[in-house]
Amino acid sequence: MKIYITGLPSGYEVEHLVRLFYPMAPLTLTPPENAEDCVWAEKTPDGLHALVRQDGRSAERHAPLPAPVEQGGETPEFSLASLTYDLLRDWTGIRPPWGKMTGVRPVRLIHDKRAAGWTEAEIDHFFLDRFDCSQQKYQMAKAIADLQEPILKVGNEPGTYSLYIGIPFCPSRCSYCSFVSCNLDRDRKMVQPYVDCLCKEVEEIRIQADKAGLTLCSIYIGGGTPTSLSADQLRQLMGTVRANFDLSKVVEYTVEAGRPDCTDAEKLAVIKEYGATRISINPQTFSDEVLAGIGRKHSAQDILDCYAEARKAGHDDINMDLIAGLPQDSCEGFRRSLEGVLEMEPENVTIHTLALKKGSTLMERGGSLPSGAEVAEMLDFSREILIRRGYRPYYLYRQKYMSGALENVGWAKPGTENLYNIIMMEELQTVVSVGGGGVTKLVDYAAGRIVRLPNPKYPHDYLTSLKKVLAQKEELIRFYGSELP
């Protein structure tokens, strides 16, 4: 199945809408031959045309050009996307759970519409009618937006920001991962210089944030795998953070301790001693067979042992991740994994939907994957059991190429919602990123302005560009209207 779009300045929206029905369909710039399977979407001076051709059969739809936007009409791109959506929904018998929505932040749309003064009825119409979103998904997004509103008052205070510190090293590469990360065995010599540079960047952020009159709200050390650092390297990094910031005024401090194959009792004790208030221990699955299939070098028992060590070290706010749709997994296997997680009673549970990402081993080599319908069943089960166990959904986001065109959802026991996850996903507060691949987002929500400042993507480039990286932090002052002394 090929995608061919013509007559528009940009076919982005149409292209990604088609992939809700045909996830791996390539875009072609050449008109398909008469016998080729394709989705053909076209704008001409006379109107809009959508055609699907598959296995020798075909169907098509036509529509007039929309009225101009300033007269209450839609853009030609959205109108052509809607025409193509209606055609493919009838042709395949599939109704995507989020309808025509292809963006990653549906909850952000609710916040934005409310801030713009839309009524709840207008927002209902926007999701349910204009975008054909399912009632279930919309009600979940709306409930999350309602839950987030009082929490965001903390993270949306003027002059506050959050700090993200990225550790792009892992003990092994998971088959589904496309992040820029280095294999610890191969690149171990790079780790200490990288930590040294992180510490310098942290110090520079404190200097520039102080000059800009900013107050640190939350800290998140993620990866990669932060616990791929040695215990001494964690002490160095977290000690630098503690020396530069008053942690008593920080609302939340998270460290991902996700991989039990490199997280031990000493590291868990260091993380607690140096001020972290929340950690993640991420099983992804409790099936040893599935773990081996995705390239994890640990067992389900290692997860249980790591969790017990974390509680012993005094960690009282723990998140655990699972992924629905992993290769060789099944609905029953996912059910057992989630039940295993809930037996441990973590404060947070995050249910990810597998996304096939370019650059991942899984995308390149393929694998035995559960169907979209099976993944939807996994998510339905997770929703039902998590609600029964007292968890509430508190943040949500989507990605391209997700199984079943579904979503990722963070669940929390009341009062344990992760502020950083909400701030980062809804883009309502400045997040300053440290390390290779980090992207600082300077946010002026009231003005609808976001400035992105990327660090060099690869760790080696980050190390050789540190002077430029440090100088870039002066953008904090320029963005917030202050002047250098």
Side-chain angles (χ1 to χ4, degrees):
M1 181 64 69
K2 293 182 177 179
I3 305 171
Y4 179 69
I5 304 163
T6 186
L8 293 171
S10 169
Y12 180 89
E13 193 166 354
V14 181
E15 175 188 352
H16 289 286
L17 186 144
V18 172
R19 291 206 180 105
L20 297 177
F21 300 90
Y22 299 102
M24 309 313 298
L27 180 69
T28 178
L29 301 179
T30 305
E33 300 292 336
N34 288 338
E36 284 188 289
D37 290 351
C38 68
V39 176
W40 184 313
E42 183 174 19
K43 172 185 173 286
T44 71
D46 299 323
L48 307 175
H49 173 227
L51 174 144
V52 58
R53 186 166 55 228
Q54 188 174 13
D55 299 331
R57 299 183 302 118
S58 65
E60 57 187 310
R61 292 203 177 182
H62 300 268
L65 293 173
V69 173
E70 57 269 20
Q71 295 178 18
E74 297 284 5
T75 64
E77 183 174 2
F78 183 81
S79 296
L80 184 55
S82 293
L83 183 70
T84 306
Y85 173 88
D86 292 340
L87 171 65
L88 295 180
R89 180 177 164 179
D90 287 348
W91 177 261
T92 63
I94 296 170
R95 182 188 178 188
W98 290 94
K100 303 170 195 174
M101 288 190 165
T102 58
V104 301
R105 296 180 174 87
V107 177
R108 168 72 184 272
L109 288 174
I110 297 174
H111 288 305
D112 288 348
K113 300 308 181 189
R114 287 174 172 173
W118 285 36
T119 67
E120 293 302 303
E122 288 172 329
I123 300 172
D124 293 349
H125 171 76
F126 180 82
F127 274 82
L128 299 174
D129 300 324
R130 186 173 188 265
F131 279 96
D132 195 39
C133 182
S134 72
Q135 185 72 233
Q136 181 194 86
K137 298 302 181 186
Y138 172 54
Q139 291 302 329
M140 179 168 63
K142 196 172 181 179
I144 291 171
D146 291 343
L147 184 149
Q148 287 180 352
E149 285 194 354
I151 298 171
L152 285 172
K153 290 178 181 178
V154 176
N156 209 17
E157 291 183 3
T160 60
Y161 74 105
S162 290
L163 176 65
Y164 177 84
I165 302 173
I167 311 295
F169 300 97
C170 288
S172 66
R173 189 174 184 83
C174 297
S175 64
Y176 54 79
C177 181
S178 65
F179 292 144
V180 174
S181 63
C182 298
N183 184 287
L184 197 60
D185 292 334
R186 184 190 66 215
D187 299 306
R188 193 174 298 275
K189 290 182 180 179
M190 198 186 301
V191 178
Q192 186 57 54
Y194 184 84
V195 172
D196 293 341
C197 287
L198 285 182
C199 291
K200 292 176 183 177
E201 195 178 0
V202 167
E203 291 168 351
E204 186 64 23
I205 285 170
R206 195 264 305 165
I207 292 169
Q208 301 303 333
D210 284 354
K211 290 179 179 178
L214 300 177
T215 301
L216 183 61
C217 174
S218 72
I219 304 168
Y220 195 106
I221 302 181
T225 307
T227 48
S228 62
L229 303 183
S230 69
D232 284 341
Q233 288 164 344
L234 280 171
R235 286 189 185 94
Q236 178 186 350
L237 175 59
M238 296 185 71
T240 299
V241 171
R242 187 170 69 179
N244 281 273
F245 300 103
D246 183 354
L247 297 184
S248 68
K249 296 180 180 179
V250 170
V251 177
E252 175 185 274
Y253 188 169
T254 300
V255 178
E256 289 184 357
R259 296 276 297 257
D261 45 348
C262 62
T263 304
D264 57 27
E266 183 182 7
K267 294 178 185 180
L268 289 165
V270 169
I271 292 168
K272 184 65 178 178
E273 177 187 352
Y274 281 82
T277 60
R278 178 182 182 271
I279 63 170
S280 288
I281 298 172
N282 302 330
Q284 315 303 15
T285 175
F286 268 83
S287 165
D288 286 341
E289 180 183 5
V290 177
L291 284 169
I294 62 175
R296 286 292 186 105
K297 296 180 179 180
H298 63 80
S299 67
Q301 184 59 50
D302 293 331
I303 297 164
L304 298 173
D305 294 343
C306 184
Y307 184 89
E309 289 285 1
R311 290 300 195 196
K312 186 177 178 180
H315 292 285
D316 56 6
D317 193 349
I318 299 178
N319 170 73
M320 303 190 82
D321 285 5
L322 290 178
I323 299 177
L326 288 172
Q328 303 179 53
D329 207 357
S330 63
C331 293
E332 182 56 35
F334 178 82
R335 181 189 296 265
R336 287 195 298 269
S337 293
L338 181 51
E339 289 173 343
V341 164
L342 293 176
E343 284 180 9
M344 293 186 283
E345 299 186 349
E347 284 68 33
N348 295 179
V349 178
T350 306
I351 305 296
H352 294 275
T353 297
L354 180 70
L356 290 174
K357 301 175 184 177
K358 294 179 181 179
S360 68
T361 304
L362 187 58
M363 186 74 154
E364 294 170 356
R365 300 178 185 174
S368 178
L369 298 175
S371 67
E374 289 175 307
V375 177
E377 184 179 336
M378 295 175 190
L379 264 62
D380 286 344
F381 170 72
S382 69
R383 184 184 67 255
E384 293 167 4
I385 191 170
L386 284 163
I387 290 173
R388 286 203 308 268
R389 297 292 185 91
Y391 294 85
R392 302 184 299 181
Y394 77 96
Y395 88 112
L396 178 154
Y397 69 101
R398 303 179 67 217
Q399 296 168 279
K400 294 183 179 70
Y401 309 111
M402 296 188 85
S403 297
L406 291 157
E407 70 281 335
N408 305 318
V409 182
W411 296 80
K413 293 181 177 178
T416 68
E417 296 84 5
N418 181 237
L419 177 64
Y420 175 84
N421 282 338
I422 297 172
I423 288 168
M424 177 269 300
M425 191 48 56
E426 310 312 336
E427 296 184 319
L428 299 177
Q429 183 194 70
T430 286
V431 176
V432 181
S433 293
V434 176
V439 179
T440 291
K441 291 184 181 181
L442 306 178
V443 177
D444 182 348
Y445 183 69
R449 185 165 70 113
I450 297 178
V451 174
R452 290 171 171 81
L453 304 172
N455 277 0
K457 186 174 182 180
Y458 297 98
H460 177 269
D461 295 339
Y462 170 74
L463 295 178
T464 58
S465 305
L466 183 63
K467 186 175 181 180
K468 181 179 178 181
V469 169
L470 297 181
Q472 188 187 64
K473 296 302 176 281
E474 293 182 5
E475 290 295 328
L476 281 169
I477 297 171
R478 285 186 277 273
F479 184 85
Y480 283 97
S482 300
E483 295 182 358
L484 287 166

